[in-house]
Coordinates of all heavy atoms in Angstrom, one line a residue:
L2 N 11.9 29.6 44.8 CA 13.2 29.2 44.3 C 13.9 30.2 43.5 O 15.1 30.4 43.6 CB 13.1 27.9 43.6 CG 12.5 26.7 44.3 CD1 12.3 25.5 43.4 CD2 13.5 26.3 45.5
H3 N 13.1 31.0 42.7 CA 13.7 32.0 41.8 C 14.3 33.1 42.7 O 15.3 33.7 42.3 CB 12.6 32.6 40.9 CG 13.2 33.4 39.8 ND1 13.7 32.9 38.6 CD2 13.4 34.8 39.8 CE1 14.1 33.9 37.9 NE2 14.0 35.0 38.5
Q4 N 13.7 33.4 43.8 CA 14.2 34.5 44.7 C 15.5 34.0 45.4 O 16.2 34.9 45.9 CB 13.1 34.9 45.7 CG 12.0 35.6 45.1 CD 10.9 36.0 46.1 OE1 11.1 37.0 46.8 NE2 9.9 35.2 46.2
H5 N 15.7 32.7 45.5 CA 16.8 32.2 46.3 C 17.7 31.2 45.5 O 17.8 30.1 45.8 CB 16.3 31.5 47.6 CG 15.5 32.4 48.4 ND1 14.1 32.5 48.3 CD2 15.8 33.2 49.5 CE1 13.6 33.3 49.3 NE2 14.7 33.8 49.9
P6 N 18.2 31.7 44.4 CA 19.0 30.9 43.5 C 20.3 30.5 44.1 O 20.9 31.3 44.9 CB 19.2 31.8 42.2 CG 19.2 33.2 42.8 CD 18.2 33.2 43.9
E7 N 20.8 29.3 43.8 CA 22.1 28.9 44.3 C 23.0 28.3 43.2 O 22.5 27.6 42.3 CB 21.9 27.8 45.4 CG 21.1 28.4 46.6 CD 20.7 27.3 47.6 OE1 20.0 26.4 47.2 OE2 21.2 27.4 48.8
L8 N 24.2 28.6 43.2 CA 25.2 28.2 42.2 C 25.4 26.7 42.3 O 25.1 26.0 43.3 CB 26.5 28.9 42.3 CG 26.4 30.4 42.0 CD1 27.7 31.1 42.3 CD2 26.0 30.7 40.5
S9 N 26.0 26.1 41.2 CA 26.3 24.7 41.1 C 27.1 24.2 42.3 O 28.1 24.7 42.6 CB 27.0 24.4 39.8 OG 26.3 24.9 38.7
G10 N 26.6 23.1 42.9 CA 27.3 22.5 44.0 C 27.0 23.1 45.3 O 27.4 22.7 46.4
R11 N 26.2 24.2 45.3 CA 25.8 24.9 46.6 C 24.3 25.0 46.8 O 23.8 25.9 47.4 CB 26.4 26.4 46.5 CG 27.9 26.4 46.3 CD 28.4 27.8 46.1 NE 29.8 27.9 45.7 CZ 30.4 29.1 45.4 NH1 29.7 30.2 45.5 NH2 31.6 29.1 45.0
E12 N 23.6 24.0 46.3 CA 22.1 24.1 46.3 C 21.6 23.6 47.6 O 20.7 22.8 47.7 CB 21.6 23.2 45.2 CG 22.1 23.5 43.8 CD 23.4 22.7 43.4 OE1 24.0 22.2 44.4 OE2 23.7 22.5 42.2
F13 N 22.1 24.2 48.7 CA 21.8 23.7 50.1 C 20.3 24.1 50.4 O 19.6 23.2 50.9 CB 22.7 24.4 51.1 CG 24.2 24.1 50.8 CD1 25.0 25.1 50.4 CD2 24.7 22.8 50.8 CE1 26.4 24.8 50.1 CE2 26.0 22.5 50.5 CZ 26.8 23.5 50.2
R14 N 19.9 25.3 50.3 CA 18.5 25.7 50.6 C 17.6 25.0 49.7 O 16.5 24.5 50.1 CB 18.3 27.2 50.5 CG 16.9 27.6 50.9 CD 16.7 29.1 50.6 NE 15.3 29.5 51.0 CZ 14.3 29.4 50.2 NH1 14.4 28.9 49.0 NH2 13.1 29.8 50.6
T15 N 17.9 25.0 48.4 CA 17.0 24.3 47.4 C 16.8 22.9 47.8 O 15.6 22.4 47.8 CB 17.6 24.4 46.0 OG1 17.9 25.8 45.7 CG2 16.7 23.9 44.9
A16 N 17.8 22.2 48.1 CA 17.7 20.7 48.4 C 16.9 20.6 49.7 O 16.1 19.6 49.8 CB 19.1 20.1 48.6
R17 N 17.0 21.4 50.6 CA 16.3 21.3 51.9 C 14.8 21.5 51.6 O 13.9 20.8 52.1 CB 16.8 22.4 52.9 CG 16.1 22.3 54.3 CD 16.7 23.2 55.3 NE 16.3 24.6 55.0 CZ 17.2 25.5 54.5 NH1 18.4 25.2 54.3 NH2 16.7 26.8 54.3
V18 N 14.5 22.6 50.8 CA 13.1 22.8 50.5 C 12.5 21.6 49.7 O 11.4 21.2 50.0 CB 13.0 24.1 49.6 CG1 11.5 24.3 49.0 CG2 13.3 25.3 50.5
V19 N 13.2 21.1 48.8 CA 12.7 19.9 48.0 C 12.4 18.8 48.9 O 11.4 18.1 48.9 CB 13.8 19.5 46.9 CG1 13.4 18.2 46.3 CG2 13.8 20.6 45.8
A20 N 13.4 18.4 49.8 CA 13.2 17.3 50.7 C 12.0 17.5 51.6 O 11.2 16.5 51.8 CB 14.5 17.1 51.5
E21 N 11.9 18.7 52.1 CA 10.7 18.9 53.0 C 9.4 18.8 52.3 O 8.5 18.2 52.9 CB 10.9 20.4 53.6 CG 12.0 20.5 54.6 CD 12.2 22.0 55.0 OE1 11.5 22.9 54.5 OE2 13.0 22.2 55.9
K22 N 9.3 19.2 51.1 CA 8.1 19.1 50.3 C 7.8 17.7 50.0 O 6.6 17.2 50.1 CB 8.2 19.9 49.0 CG 8.2 21.4 49.2 CD 6.8 21.9 49.6 CE 6.7 23.4 49.6 NZ 5.4 23.9 50.0
L23 N 8.8 16.9 49.6 CA 8.6 15.5 49.2 C 8.1 14.7 50.4 O 7.1 13.9 50.3 CB 9.9 14.9 48.7 CG 10.5 15.4 47.4 CD1 11.7 14.6 47.0 CD2 9.4 15.4 46.3
K24 N 8.6 15.0 51.6 CA 8.2 14.3 52.8 C 6.7 14.7 53.1 O 5.9 13.9 53.5 CB 9.1 14.6 54.0 CG 10.5 14.1 53.8 CD 11.4 14.6 54.9 CE 12.8 14.1 54.7 NZ 13.8 14.6 55.7
E25 N 6.5 16.0 53.0 CA 5.1 16.5 53.3 C 4.1 15.9 52.3 O 3.0 15.6 52.8 CB 5.1 18.1 53.0 CG 3.7 18.7 53.2 CD 3.7 20.2 52.8 OE1 4.8 20.8 52.7 OE2 2.6 20.7 52.5
Y26 N 4.5 15.7 51.1 CA 3.5 15.1 50.1 C 3.3 13.6 50.2 O 2.5 13.0 49.5 CB 4.0 15.5 48.7 CG 3.9 17.0 48.4 CD1 4.7 17.5 47.4 CD2 3.1 17.8 49.1 CE1 4.6 18.9 47.1 CE2 3.0 19.2 48.8 CZ 3.8 19.7 47.8 OH 3.7 21.0 47.5
G27 N 4.2 13.0 51.0 CA 4.0 11.5 51.2 C 4.9 10.6 50.3 O 4.6 9.4 50.2
V28 N 6.0 11.2 49.8 CA 6.9 10.3 49.1 C 7.5 9.3 50.1 O 7.9 9.7 51.2 CB 8.1 11.2 48.5 CG1 9.2 10.3 47.9 CG2 7.5 12.1 47.4
D29 N 7.5 8.0 49.7 CA 7.8 7.0 50.7 C 9.3 7.0 51.2 O 9.5 6.7 52.3 CB 7.5 5.6 50.0 CG 6.1 5.4 49.6 OD1 5.3 5.2 50.6 OD2 5.7 5.6 48.5
E30 N 10.2 7.3 50.3 CA 11.6 7.4 50.7 C 12.2 8.6 50.2 O 12.1 8.9 49.0 CB 12.4 6.1 50.2 CG 13.8 6.1 50.7 CD 14.5 4.9 50.1 OE1 13.9 4.0 49.5 OE2 15.8 4.8 50.3
V31 N 12.9 9.4 51.0 CA 13.6 10.6 50.6 C 15.0 10.6 51.1 O 15.3 10.5 52.3 CB 12.9 11.9 51.2 CG1 13.6 13.1 50.7 CG2 11.4 11.9 50.7
V32 N 15.9 10.6 50.2 CA 17.4 10.5 50.5 C 18.0 11.9 50.2 O 17.9 12.3 49.1 CB 18.1 9.4 49.7 CG1 19.6 9.4 50.0 CG2 17.5 8.0 49.9
E33 N 18.6 12.5 51.2 CA 19.2 13.8 51.0 C 20.7 13.5 50.9 O 21.3 12.5 51.4 CB 18.9 14.7 52.2 CG 17.4 14.9 52.3 CD 17.1 15.8 53.6 OE1 17.5 16.9 53.6 OE2 16.4 15.2 54.5
N34 N 21.4 14.5 50.3 CA 22.9 14.4 50.1 C 23.3 13.1 49.4 O 24.3 12.5 49.8 CB 23.6 14.6 51.5 CG 23.2 15.8 52.2 OD1 22.7 15.8 53.3 ND2 23.5 17.0 51.6
F35 N 22.5 12.7 48.4 CA 22.9 11.5 47.7 C 24.2 11.6 47.1 O 24.6 12.5 46.4 CB 21.8 11.2 46.6 CG 22.0 9.9 46.0 CD1 21.4 8.7 46.4 CD2 22.8 9.8 44.8 CE1 21.6 7.5 45.8 CE2 23.0 8.6 44.2 CZ 22.4 7.4 44.7
G36 N 25.0 10.5 47.3 CA 26.4 10.4 46.7 C 27.3 11.5 47.1 O 28.3 11.9 46.4
G37 N 27.1 12.0 48.3 CA 27.9 13.1 48.9 C 27.7 14.4 48.2 O 28.6 15.3 48.3
T38 N 26.6 14.6 47.5 CA 26.3 15.9 46.9 C 25.1 16.5 47.5 O 24.5 16.0 48.5 CB 26.0 15.7 45.4 OG1 24.7 15.0 45.2 CG2 27.1 14.8 44.7
T39 N 24.6 17.6 46.9 CA 23.3 18.2 47.4 C 22.1 17.5 46.8 O 21.0 18.0 47.0 CB 23.3 19.7 47.1 OG1 23.6 19.9 45.8 CG2 24.3 20.4 48.0

């Protein structure tokens, strides 16, 4: 994440990585783009 920083409101890659990891780890429900944001 440090190598791929993203400015406020543009956290597209970060959000994608987070969602993928949560699903991989077995989090029961993962909601992306909550509230029309990243």
Side-chain angles (χ1 to χ4, degrees):
L2 296 175
H3 191 85
Q4 291 179 79
H5 302 91
E7 296 173 298
L8 293 173
S9 302
R11 304 176 190 174
E12 307 91 339
F13 304 112
R14 180 187 183 275
T15 305
R17 184 175 71 253
V18 170
V19 166
E21 289 173 355
K22 288 288 186 182
L23 295 184
K24 293 172 185 177
E25 175 188 340
Y26 293 157
V28 172
D29 297 285
E30 181 181 353
V31 179
V32 179
E33 300 176 64
N34 303 119
F35 184 91
T38 73
T39 53

